[in-house]
Structures are given as C-alpha cells and as structure tokens.
Amino acid sequence: MLNEIGSFKLLLIDIESQRLGDIERFLSMGGFLVHVLSDLNSVFEQISAFQPDMIICEIGVLPFNGRELVRQLRRIGDLRPIILLTTDCDATERAIVLEEGADDVLNKPIVPFELMARVRAILRRVSSKTSISNQNKILHCGELTYDQRTRRAKIYGNEIECTPRALSLLEYLLAHAGEIVTREQLLDDVWGWDYAVGTRTVDTRITELRRALKDNAHSPDYIETVRGIGYRLLCPSV
C-alpha cells in the first residue's frame, strides 16, 4: 500500500543524469527509492540489478530510445509500469506510445507534483491488480482463458497475439464477465488516465480482440456491443 511507499523503487533513465536531478530529489522526498541511470549501454543490466517497480525514461534519449525500451521490455513479458517523458507529444503520437505498452506520457517541462500524482496512481492500480491476481490467477470464459501471472490469453489452447493494451482490455472484460461496461469506464480503468484519445480508442482495441478471437460483431460468441453504452463479455456460465 502507499503508506509503505518507501518500498517502491523507481529507475530514472536519461543520457544526461543531471537533468533528472530535481525530479530525483522530489521523488526521494516523497519516500521512493530512486536510482538514476545515464549509461544507456547497461539499461537491461541495471534493470535486472535494481529491480525497479517503475521506470521513468526520456522518450528521445540516444542511443536508446524510450519507446524502443518499452517495446523490448513488453516483448519479453516485462510488464512493470513505464512513464515516458518528452518535449513534444501530440494526441496522435501519445495514443501510439500508449498502445505500444507505455503506462503514461508526460510533456516537459515536468510539473513535479503532477508526476508524483501519476506515479502514485499507477502504482495503486498495479498493486490492486496484483492483489486480485494473487487470489484468481487464471480467468475463464468458455474456451477462452487468461493467465494473470504471465499475461497470456488462449482460446482452444492456442495463444492469442494482441497488443499489450488489448490484453489489458481483455483481462478487464474477463474480470467483469456478464457485466455491461461503458467505453468511459474502460478508458478510466484500463487506460488509467484521460489521454485525450477518445472512446474510439476502445473500439479499436475491441476490434483487435474480435479479430484475434475470430468473433463476429453481428453474432458474437464473446464480445457483445451494447448499443450506445459499451460492451459485455458473454460467457456460457454467466
């Protein structure tokens, strides 16, 4: 819980570590254990050694781009939260970065109190999911299964290939099987913040899930559209 926040470790990544000095001091004063990394040739070694609970990284650092870091970590199944910092990121690029697996994107100049609030919010959400997954690690819906420990979904025993955000959406729908969930609810609970990308983002991920499940939108076996409201996951036992 956040009253034990001193146990949370943050890794700040920038090629010029002094630029993150103020952020490091502010987060340290907030009770976090903070480590700053500027040697980008040892990123993965440092992540393995420090075992941070969250990574905060400049999006444009060279020779290692922050977006590439997100993609590589997600590719190997590393799902720890990542916040990317950038000098200029419009709504379209922001949406793309989030779909690639980042948990948040902040434009500079960074407002320390806002960064702190977002770090805390993401860690609360992750802690909540961990608590739930410790009780119920595999979610079922007919022939569809989702392992919350490995974040892998299967249907009829075959693994489903989806973007990280689509898998998070699937996990949420499985946890609320049989319930009608609104697009706004999905944006709040799955995306976590108002990213100014709109409810159409939800529809796009739903389309991706349907394609992966070979589900017909007009005669669904799994994902039903509730017109004007949102979606419902259909299960034989619900």
Side-chain angles (χ1 to χ4, degrees), residues 29-199:
M29 289 173 59
F32 293 101
L33 300 176
V34 184
H35 179 65
V36 176
L37 173 63
S38 57
D39 180 7
L40 303 179
N41 293 316
S42 63
V43 169
F44 291 101
E45 290 84 350
Q46 289 291 323
I47 291 174
S48 178
F50 186 59
Q51 286 297 309
D53 297 290
M54 176 183 288
I55 298 171
I56 301 173
C57 180
E58 288 276 351
I59 200 170
V61 294
L62 296 174
F64 203 95
N65 184 280
R67 289 176 62 180
E68 180 59 26
L69 174 64
V70 171
R71 288 191 288 264
Q72 289 200 31
L73 287 176
R74 299 306 185 239
R75 195 175 298 131
I76 63 175
D78 190 322
L79 302 171
R80 76 191 76 213
I82 302 174
I83 295 178
L84 295 180
L85 311 179
T86 181
T87 54
D88 184 25
C89 186
D90 61 23
T92 300
E93 183 181 0
R94 190 185 190 87
I96 293 172
V97 172
L98 294 170
E99 294 297 345
E100 289 175 340
D103 293 87
D104 205 349
V105 184
L106 286 180
N107 282 329
K108 296 191 295 183
I110 301 301
V111 178
F113 286 102
E114 180 185 10
L115 176 61
M116 177 78 80
R118 296 199 179 209
V119 168
R120 288 177 181 270
I122 291 171
L123 288 174
R124 273 197 303 270
R125 193 161 63 248
V126 170
S127 297
S128 174
K129 286 184 178 180
T130 300
S131 175
I132 293 172
S133 65
N134 285 338
Q135 301 171 16
N136 185 13
K137 293 183 171 59
I138 298 182
L139 302 174
H140 296 268
C141 177
E143 295 298 326
L144 175 63
T145 62
Y146 181 87
D147 190 326
Q148 293 178 311
R149 294 165 299 184
T150 62
R151 282 181 59 84
R152 291 183 174 178
K154 294 182 179 181
I155 186 167
Y156 295 103
N158 299 314
E159 187 167 346
I160 297 170
E161 297 293 336
C162 287
T163 60
R165 194 66 63 181
L167 285 174
S168 294
L169 177 57
L170 178 61
E171 179 183 13
Y172 188 88
L173 290 173
L174 281 163
H176 296 81
E179 301 176 22
I180 298 175
V181 290
T182 68
R183 292 173 174 84
E184 291 76 16
Q185 183 180 345
L186 291 169
L187 277 175
D188 286 343
D189 293 345
V190 178
W191 276 255
W193 285 83
D194 180 7
Y195 290 119
V197 295
T199 56

